[in-house]
Amino acid sequence: MKLHQLDLNLLLAFDALMTCRHVTRAAEQLYISQPAMSHALNRLREQFADPLLVKTPQGMQPTARALKLHAGVQQALHLLEQQLGEMEEFEPQRSDRRFVISTTDYVECVLIPPLISRLKEIAPQIQIEIAILRDQLPEAELANGEIDLVLGFDEYMDVPRYLCRETWLQEPLAGLVQQQNDQVGEQLDLTQLIALPHVFHSPLGTRESMVDRYLTQHGLQRRISANSQSYLSAAAIVSQTDHLLVLPQKVASMLAGYWPLRMVALPDDMPCYHLNCVWHPAQGEHPSVIWLRQLMQQLLVK
């Protein structure tokens, strides 16, 4: 089908129908009559040669073709709204906007506490919700605005080119050992690094990290005795054993201040993590999202 063959108003009707899954409620959403929405649905079915929405005992359910079409239609409508509508002014001190950030426990530990503290001063009604980053980037949620930003390391993210990405921080790695472990000096060489048993912090449940790939390049392999998806549980294990935990330096410093742990330096050529911020081009240029990104970047470099 060519674009000139389609009444673009039908795309608004299609989006409302897919969102509401109910003809009357979709009509109310667009401020048109129920018969007009039924007529629009019939025209859509003719245009796409597909029933699109079918009646079931559980209500109207979309077909596979409708689900596939809807993602693209939503994105197109968001882009049109952004281009045709005037960008509303964002006043953080008066806003009660809720931002959703998908990220790992690194950002929860390092960035979210100072962010909440700063928001209390300059934008007390703004809310921050954290969605845990999984092994798949939440592309659909970024596209429809359910998630505003994704923050994570290169280690965990394969970012498609159509998404916007900025590297905010290069984070060196450090080691943590039990405070009373006098067998470990202030810096580990490769031999000492692989001689110690390791606790592996793996927030996404992966089986290896850049540390393992680095060691493989040197023909070496470390001994992992325990896996943990939480910095706190990994730190608790190390505080009571002779194990080593390798993690980003900022988190290592923070944990060493709360637990009986001691930071140790790693080999100088150990790779760094790159903390990235990712957003969707249809959503991320709203003044409120730009403001939040700038604020978070300022807090990271302090």
Side-chain angles (χ1 to χ4, degrees):
M1 177 190 299
K2 301 297 184 182
L3 189 60
H4 71 270
Q5 298 174 311
L6 179 66
D7 179 353
L8 296 184
N9 286 321
L10 290 176
L11 297 182
L12 291 170
F14 176 66
D15 181 50
L17 286 162
M18 289 294 292
T19 301
C20 299
R21 309 285 172 91
H22 192 281
V23 172
T24 301
R25 287 197 290 270
E28 291 171 352
Q29 181 173 304
L30 294 187
Y31 300 100
I32 63 175
S33 67
Q34 190 270 347
M37 182 58 75
S38 295
H39 179 65
L41 177 56
N42 289 331
R43 289 183 63 197
L44 283 162
R45 286 167 169 166
E46 291 174 7
Q47 291 275 3
F48 292 109
D50 187 271
L52 299 177
L53 286 157
V54 295
K55 290 183 179 179
T56 73
Q58 291 75 40
M60 298 190 78
Q61 297 297 319
T63 64
R65 179 101 190 271
L67 289 171
K68 185 176 181 180
L69 284 168
H70 191 220
V73 167
Q74 268 195 323
Q75 185 173 339
L77 291 175
H78 281 306
L79 284 170
L80 282 170
E81 281 184 348
Q82 185 180 45
Q83 293 299 317
L84 298 176
E86 290 186 1
M87 295 292 276
E88 65 184 81
E89 184 179 351
F90 179 65
E91 299 181 3
Q93 68 276 15
R94 297 184 180 183
S95 174
D96 60 356
R97 192 191 193 293
R98 179 177 65 94
F99 292 97
V100 182
I101 302 169
S102 176
T103 191
T104 65
D105 52 353
Y106 172 88
V107 171
E108 284 192 285
C109 290
V110 170
L111 182 54
I112 299 303
L115 174 63
I116 299 301
S117 177
R118 183 66 177 136
L119 288 175
K120 186 177 180 181
E121 299 172 356
I122 63 174
Q125 298 182 77
I126 282 179
Q127 306 164 56
I128 300 294
E129 179 179 329
I130 300 299
I132 298 302
L133 181 60
R134 303 300 179 187
D135 56 352
Q136 294 290 326
L137 203 68
E139 295 182 51
E141 290 83 355
L142 283 170
N144 63 29
E146 290 180 24
I147 289 176
D148 296 293
L149 300 171
V150 174
L151 271 72
F153 290 118
D154 279 342
E155 176 80 6
Y156 309 132
M157 297 197 302
D158 183 16
V159 182
R161 290 187 177 183
Y162 75 89
L163 293 176
C164 301
R165 173 170 66 175
E166 288 181 350
T167 297
W168 281 4
L169 184 71
Q170 293 189 39
E171 178 74 353
L173 295 172
L176 282 179
V177 296
Q178 190 183 47
Q179 201 169 56
Q180 305 303 319
N181 189 340
D182 55 8
Q183 303 300 310
V184 178
E186 294 184 0
Q187 180 163 11
L188 297 172
D189 59 25
L190 279 175
T191 302
Q192 295 167 321
L193 183 67
I194 63 170
L196 289 167
H198 286 241
V199 176
F200 178 28
H201 172 255
S202 175
L204 304 186
T206 53
R207 293 295 180 180
E208 66 171 25
S209 71
M210 64 168 60
V211 175
D212 300 289
R213 292 188 286 275
Y214 164 82
L215 291 172
T216 298
Q217 292 172 1
H218 290 78
L220 301 171
Q221 186 177 3
R222 61 176 172 166
R223 177 162 51 94
I224 296 173
S225 299
N227 285 35
S228 174
Q229 291 185 289
S230 161
Y231 283 130
L232 292 180
S233 61
I237 294 169
V238 174
S239 71
Q240 300 178 47
T241 65
D242 62 350
H243 285 56
L244 171 70
L245 172 62
V246 176
L247 70 172
Q249 192 175 77
K250 287 180 183 291
V251 181
S253 176
M254 183 176 64
L255 291 174
Y258 290 104
W259 296 77
L261 300 167
R262 176 167 58 88
M263 280 181 60
V264 296
L266 302 176
D268 293 333
D269 63 341
M270 184 75 76
C272 294
Y273 277 122
H274 292 76
L275 179 65
N276 297 311
C277 179
V278 176
W279 65 93
H280 195 282
Q283 306 290 342
E285 298 310 314
H286 190 279
S288 63
V289 181
I290 294 173
W291 173 84
L292 180 64
R293 289 203 308 267
Q294 292 173 344
L295 176 61
M296 294 172 78
Q297 279 185 285
Q298 292 167 8
L299 293 170
L300 266 179
V301 298
K302 284 187 177 181

